[in-house]
Amino acid sequence: MNTTGTIELHGDAPVDHAPRETGRDRVNATLGMILFIGSWTMAFGTLLLSFLVLRDKIAVWPPAGIALPSAPIAGFATLVLAASSVFVERASRSLALAPAVGADRRASFSSLWITGMLLGLGFALLQAWLWYDLILAGRTQTSGLYESLFFGLTWVHAAHVLVGLSLLGWALVGSKRGRYGPARRSFISNAALFWHFVGIVWLFLFLGFFVF
Amino acid sequence: MSMLKTLLPSFALLRSRWLGCPLALMLTSTWALAQDKRWGPGEPASDYGDRFYDLFWLITILVSVAFALVVVLLVIPVLRDRARPGHRASFDHGKSLHDKRLTAIISIVTFIVLDAWVLVIAMKDLREAYWAIPDAKDPQTYRVEVLAQQWAWNFRATGVDGEFGTADDILTINELVVPLNRPVSFNMTSKDVIHALFLPEMRLKRDVNPGAINEAWFKPIKEGDFTILCAELCGFAHYQMYGKLVVLEQGQFNEWEAEASRLASTAFDADDTEAHWAWDWQE
Amino acid sequence: MSSDHIHPEPTTFLRKHVFSTDHKVIAKQFLWFGLIWLGIGGIMAMMLRWQLANPGVPVPLLGGLLFPRTGGVIDPASYNTLFTMHGTIMIFLGLTPAMIGALGNWCIPLMIGARDMIFPTLNMLSFWAMFAGGAVGFYSLFVPLGATEAGWTGYPTLSTTVGGVGQGETLWAIAVFLIGASSIMGGINYITTVIRLRAPGMSWMRLPLTVWGLFLTSILNVLFVPVIGSAMILLVLDRVFGTSFYVPASIMSGGTGGDPILYQHLFWIFGHPEVYILILPAWGVVCDLLSFFARKPAFGYRTSVGSMVVITVLSAVVYGHHMFTTGLSAMLGESFMLLTMIISVPAEVLFFNWLHTLWKGSLRLTTPMLFAMSVIFVFGLGGLTGIYLATIGTDIFLHDTYFVVGHFHLTMAASALFGTFGAVYFWFPKMFGRMMSEKLGKWHFWLSFVPLVIVFCIMFISGYAGMPRRYYDHTSVEYLRPLQHLNVATSVAAFLLGAAQLIFVFNFIKSRWWGKPAPQNPWDVGTLDWTIETPVPHYNFKTIPVVQCGPHEFSNPVLGPDTDWIYQTEKLPD
């Protein structure tokens, strides 16, 4: 420390490189992601609040005498999404546990991650099945408040599923090309965090529509 | 008002010649309108109307004192503490316990004087007046169902039989006739968008929402013609959604009601379902 | 990835000036963007005032161009569009970028001693999302069937297809959504940057209050902008896909329907914090500028911070006072009235601290200082008149009258705008390397301040006299006709106010390119942004500074008689 009260961090020459991710960088990235998820919690919280307020307007819940989305399919989809989250999380952790870049580690990451993605894709298909079933029964988003809520909320959620799957795919491609790996894994852990968030939102939707 | 009407043609004249001369237009219209001006809402015509006036001016006095203090404390340093050679600001972070106490005391005192006082009166007003919806079963209460639409006020009174949804219901558009010195109670809803019933002389305002029924009431204490306005943006003719409130002395009102009821029964058309929008009174 | 590393300076024009990730460039982009939109919104306000003062008379100059079908007269539908877009533009496309975007980007890294924002790419996206929102909003003005006419609050069912079909309202909702996305991105960036990139020694209690204001604003942005985002999604679903979230059963042709009041709750859960989103940075700037130019420490730094934190927390639970006439239950109404009154306490503490900062100072009445002091005056007026509206007894009459218009313009619009002006005059030398003309600045100040106070104070009178807002023509109703003289007087003052802004435009442009070169530290202020040379080098700080004292050590006796200030990087003499 000198008299002007500054410390030299990098010296005079500008330093240019794609640096190895430090623990500090990882905290930064995770903090940003947590803030983002906090923000999105408010967004989905708003939708869930609207759901609760509007649900109150429907005399009988779930409405009687009309075709409803299939609860068994939805329940199965919930399990699939939960399993997907578990695989994605295990993949993400497998990187954190391997500080040195190792081919075997990357291989186990890939297989876990791809399994997670496939399960996510499975969820998306099940979700599409739910919609298809309902539309076949003649119920669309314009049919009434229940349908407005069901289609509207699941659409918004499905958009996030698609974004989540894209992020997972991007992370996979990046890890194959060596852009991400045990030494630079913030993107991967953040993608996993986002995926868990998407799963938790679905859990609330499932509980709201099919359980309570 | 009459001045304005006589001046309107000259506006058209100005339009063609003086398009680029806004000042002339402004001055002319100011002069024209200054002939007939008002600075306040006028005398209240409902029994709780004075409450608004009293509370408004109480707050005004309190707020003026507070604001005067702020301005004085803003102006004194400007006059006294300007930067000049040899002058140095006093050094004070305001961190001492004394400063914190002072801050706390001033805030609490301001809160009590400025807010708490007003709050207590407001609560009293709400319970005694604005939210004290009169009992609908009391025959003194004059009930009116209001159906707002783009851009008109539909009013429905029971007529002489005291029942809504019967042939002698008095339906009026943009004009409401009520008896003097009797509480008037509203059940209001809207056909399309949100409107707000605003009776400025009565100091009454309440939103009229589609899909729900809102209540409001007032008790007229002056005879005469008054104003009905819409106070919630409801489309491009929002400003033209106004009507007339007529307060009649009880004897005159009875005559009017009997005649209107009779006419309504005569004109009643059982097939005109559009006109049968009455609902059961809600409390 | 991380911004405490030095990246090479971009070389292409596109990377340097358009898709730049440098916080300083983005700050300038936001500033220009915000100022241009403030200009557009201001011209709209002038047209509104013209119509109100001279109902049915063609608008001079612009009328023939904008309203050719009516011969230059603003028709009622266009009038509704104008005030809707005026509100939307001023809040989302004017003040938000100019205050939060520009100021946040400029001040946060420079004042906390960071080389850039922590997520530079996100920062760039934040600007371009805002830009896209502005583009969509602008485009919506030209679609068939016209732009939105539902007011900036966009209450259903007027904003649903019940109130009007066409793309205008839908595009408006999409624009608000995009701008919201921009605010959230900015907010995440600001919060993380302040938490993670403060220079060594820059403890929370040594942060300039400007940074505190921006930090708290960002928290509100991150938490409450998503609420309106969701509300807008539901609105778009209702409009485009025929759902019935906001359309009640009585209007639907059959089946069950939703609830238009739900939207009001959602809107104001966001809308009330939005007021503080706009005002908190201005408060932070005012706290700092008063101290800088009174040459005195900011009085009660900790209580100021505490008050701002309390206001941030409380801002979420007072929103119901916007809905007193909607039909809230008595219990809810009274609770919101009480909570709203309570939020005035921390605001009082801030006032007390500001006035105490000035007391026995050594005031340098520069342009930024004048604007900062005027915020005390203007926000005082606006804040105190809030009591009328927080009290249900008076709000019943005053709700949706010009009283409300005057109140919120003084609090969230004028205070935020004057705070922005103060900040622009203050940081201009560092931003563009040139001084703004003080003489023109003072003209601008006085010619803005006086008409502004007149404009909104007359609105208090017209509101008290019962003049409803959002009326195309008050002379059409007999009850309102005798109030027209107030409208005329308001408009005269408003035109003066508008004309005065031309001085600012002239001063800004002239100083930007032909102004006097600015010294490194023209204001004798010790915060980190003034420790670096002008123009600021690409990496801000060649070496990351170490902070040794607070930002407001003015006139400290230990500094000796020759100087009354010290850089934050210097150690206070014993």
Side-chain angles (χ1 to χ4, degrees), chain B residues 5-266:
Chain B
K5 276 174 193 150
T6 53
L7 262 162
L8 277 174
S10 72
F11 273 91
L13 188 79
L14 286 165
R15 186 187 312 178
S16 55
R17 296 239 181 112
W18 292 77
L19 202 59
C21 190
L23 196 67
L25 270 175
M26 301 296 290
L27 289 175
T28 334
S29 46
T30 316
W31 173 77
L33 291 152
Q35 309 295 314
D36 174 21
K37 62 185 171 193
R38 183 154 62 77
W39 297 93
E43 288 290 304
S46 65
D47 73 334
Y48 60 52
D50 277 334
R51 289 174 189 261
F52 165 71
Y53 184 88
D54 294 347
L55 195 53
F56 185 92
W57 286 103
L58 169 69
I59 300 178
T60 304
I61 291 165
L62 295 174
V63 156
S64 304
V65 172
F67 190 62
L69 270 173
V70 169
V71 173
V72 167
L73 291 173
L74 197 58
V75 168
I76 290 178
V78 171
L79 298 177
R80 190 190 61 190
D81 303 330
R82 294 276 274 275
R84 55 188 178 270
H87 174 67
R88 198 179 168 95
S90 78
F91 178 72
D92 183 4
H93 273 293
K95 285 199 282 207
S96 67
L97 188 63
H98 168 260
D99 292 322
K100 280 178 190 153
R101 265 195 207 136
L102 191 64
T103 314
I105 289 170
I106 289 186
S107 331
I108 290 168
V109 169
T110 332
F111 180 76
I112 291 171
V113 174
L114 217 57
D115 297 315
W117 186 3
V118 173
L119 199 67
V120 170
I121 298 179
M123 293 282 199
K124 194 163 152 272
D125 282 354
L126 288 176
R127 288 182 183 159
E128 290 175 3
Y130 302 106
W131 286 341
I133 307 275
D135 182 9
K137 287 177 200 76
D138 183 351
Q140 269 294 305
T141 308
Y142 186 68
R143 294 175 300 161
V144 180
E145 291 188 344
V146 182
L147 180 69
Q149 69 179 90
Q150 283 176 322
W151 291 272
W153 296 103
N154 299 288
F155 298 105
R156 176 186 289 269
T158 57
V160 282
D161 70 348
E163 293 280 329
F164 282 105
T166 53
D168 78 335
D169 281 8
I170 305 170
L171 275 103
T172 51
I173 294 177
N174 290 339
E175 185 171 317
L176 175 64
V177 182
V178 295
L180 181 70
N181 284 329
R182 273 172 62 188
V184 179
S185 189
F186 292 114
N187 254 201
M188 313 188 287
T189 191
S190 164
K191 242 186 206 178
D192 34 47
V193 306
I194 299 174
H195 304 272
L197 183 76
F198 182 24
L199 309 177
E201 290 101 341
M202 305 298 164
R203 312 293 188 255
L204 168 81
K205 186 182 289 140
R206 192 72 162 169
D207 284 9
V208 182
N209 299 316
I213 286 173
N214 258 356
E215 292 173 280
W217 80 283
F218 73 102
K219 183 165 150 192
I221 52 165
K222 280 203 177 106
E223 267 181 90
D225 291 357
F226 301 99
T227 315
I228 300 171
L229 297 172
C230 176
E232 184 69 61
L233 177 65
C234 57
F236 67 80
H238 169 49
Y239 72 108
Q240 288 189 323
M241 192 172 158
Y242 56 88
K244 192 164 78 173
L245 172 69
V246 183
V247 181
L248 295 178
E249 173 273 321
Q250 188 65 49
Q252 275 177 301
F253 178 79
N254 288 343
E255 280 172 37
W256 174 85
E257 191 183 33
E259 177 63 9
S261 246
R262 191 186 64 77
L263 286 174
S265 318
T266 334

Side-chain angles (χ1 to χ4, degrees), chain C residues 523-541:
Chain C
W523 311 114
D524 299 338
V525 165
T527 48
L528 294 180
D529 42 339
W530 301 101
T531 62
I532 42 181
E533 66 263 42
T534 308
V536 182
H538 180 62
Y539 294 109
N540 304 348
F541 300 92

